[in-house]
Amino acid sequence: MGPPRDARPQGEDCLNLTIAAPARGTGARPVLVWFHGGGFSSGAGLMDWYDGGVLAAEGDVVVVGINHRLGALGYLCLDGVSEGNLGLCDQLEALRWVHGHIAEYGGDPGDVTVIGQSAGGISVRLLMELPAARGLFRRAVLQSTPLGFTARPREESLAMGRTFADALGDDPRTAGVPEILAAQRETALATLRRTGRPMEPAFVPAEDTGLVPSPGAFFDENVRGLDVLYGWNADDMTAFWRTRPPSAAGSPQGVRSATGGDLRPRWRVSVCSCFAPGARAGRWSSGKRQSSCGGSSRGRAGTPNEPRSRSCCARSPG
């Protein structure tokens, strides 16, 4: 955690994924699919934090980092516009792409482990709930995941959507990116005023929609046969104050005050979207290039006939 060490372009062309695979050897390798955290409002699977090159080389595995729509256009629930969970739809589509194409990169589609941290862990937990995701992975790892909150009830999600629509004052389907980001900030502030919880994001998955059923409806059947690992890191909460300049709000005492004395990891509010979401979900296509140095395959690539050095990226069509 802490300030990112790399600056990535922000934009609506966010439906892509990165793949790191060993450059040598034969045979199908286990596949690890990474879901980043960030409160469903920030983060990206292609950040330098999450470079899977070393893990791929040392563990002889194929590492996939996915991106998905974030913020309002990933998780807005609003009558006549979206029933929510579009970002979760992107994640599901990425897993389908992995299942259909990862063998081209030396991976075994029958040996996929999904790994998520914080909001990414919530995504993994929700994917365990979805009949549509059944058979797309066989193991799940949830890191620092606040399981007391996995999705917001539909009526609350709709109310949040109306707050966003009022702040936007325009049709979300045609509004400009700056206006959408400004309305997200206003909605995040309204959420803070309403709940008093500075770590609860405004835009999160919604329950009782076409994609996400009522909690527990299919859970037992879906997880039968899955291997699941769930845990926390010691002192997780310090990631949200130790890297910042000392202040009353950023001190341990300030954190206790903001959380009601509860120092267990909770949500962080982020009003800045790493990607201004808006790219439509679609079928994933690929361009590939394995690194000849035995490690990292990162960034974007062209079509299979236009490889770029040390890069490998699967992405949706424009």
Side-chain angles (χ1 to χ4, degrees):
M1 300 297 292
R5 300 176 181 177
D6 56 329
R8 299 290 176 179
Q10 300 186 41
E12 297 178 79
D13 182 17
C14 62
L15 292 188
N16 51 59
L17 52 82
T18 61
I19 299 172
R24 298 180 181 87
T26 59
R29 298 178 172 90
V31 180
L32 307 181
V33 180
W34 170 250
F35 293 82
H36 67 82
F40 298 103
S41 296
S42 66
L46 51 70
M47 300 179 89
D48 284 350
W49 281 336
Y50 307 135
D51 185 351
V54 173
L55 180 58
E58 294 185 354
D60 196 33
V61 295
V62 177
V63 181
V64 180
I66 75 161
N67 297 309
H68 56 93
R69 285 174 284 186
L70 301 168
L73 294 186
Y75 296 94
L76 174 67
C77 185
L78 183 62
D79 285 335
V81 176
S82 172
E83 64 177 16
N85 301 324
L86 297 182
L88 197 63
C89 289
D90 298 340
Q91 297 171 6
L92 178 61
E93 193 66 25
L95 286 177
R96 287 171 173 157
W97 187 94
V98 169
H99 184 77
H101 297 278
I102 203 63
E104 300 170 25
Y105 301 84
D108 181 355
D111 191 4
V112 174
T113 299
V114 292
I115 307 174
Q117 183 265 339
S118 192
I122 286 181
S123 295
V124 169
R125 172 62 182 81
L126 289 172
L127 288 165
M128 293 166 61
E129 195 80 53
L130 305 186
R134 192 179 306 159
L136 297 179
F137 56 92
R138 58 178 295 190
R139 297 184 180 91
V141 180
L142 294 81
Q143 301 176 327
S144 305
T145 305
L147 289 182
F149 176 84
T150 52
R152 184 175 286 141
R154 176 171 174 77
E155 288 305 314
E156 293 183 21
S157 298
L158 287 169
M160 193 67 64
R162 289 189 291 270
T163 299
F164 171 81
D166 290 342
L168 182 62
D170 200 352
D171 188 336
R173 293 165 293 191
T174 57
V177 170
E179 290 75 22
I180 289 174
L181 294 179
Q184 284 188 168
R185 295 187 189 96
E186 291 302 316
T187 306
L189 292 173
T191 301
L192 177 59
R193 290 191 294 267
R194 181 179 62 84
T195 67
R197 296 189 291 269
M199 296 179 188
E200 180 176 335
F203 298 100
V204 297
E207 295 175 355
D208 296 317
T209 67
L211 182 66
V212 178
S214 300
F218 301 97
F219 184 74
D220 290 346
E221 184 178 357
N222 282 4
V223 302
R224 188 172 295 116
L226 282 182
D227 297 325
V228 179
L229 177 64
Y230 169 60
W232 300 85
N233 295 319
D235 303 320
D236 261 350
M237 194 65 199
T238 59
F240 300 111
W241 62 266
R242 186 163 289 177
T243 58
R244 300 173 184 172
S247 68
S251 67
Q253 293 77 14
V255 171
R256 287 189 179 92
S257 176
T259 60
D262 183 0
L263 284 178
R264 291 175 298 174
R266 296 173 66 191
W267 287 105
R268 174 180 60 159
V269 170
S270 177
V271 296
C272 172
S273 178
C274 181
F275 292 98
R280 60 181 175 83
R283 295 186 179 275
W284 293 75
S285 60
S286 69
K288 68 178 181 178
R289 171 69 173 176
Q290 283 193 335
S291 167
S292 60
C293 64
S296 177
S297 304
R298 299 186 61 253
R300 294 191 176 192
T303 66
N305 295 325
E306 298 179 288
R308 298 182 185 177
S309 176
R310 290 178 57 81
S311 67
C312 172
C313 181
R315 55 183 301 178
S316 68

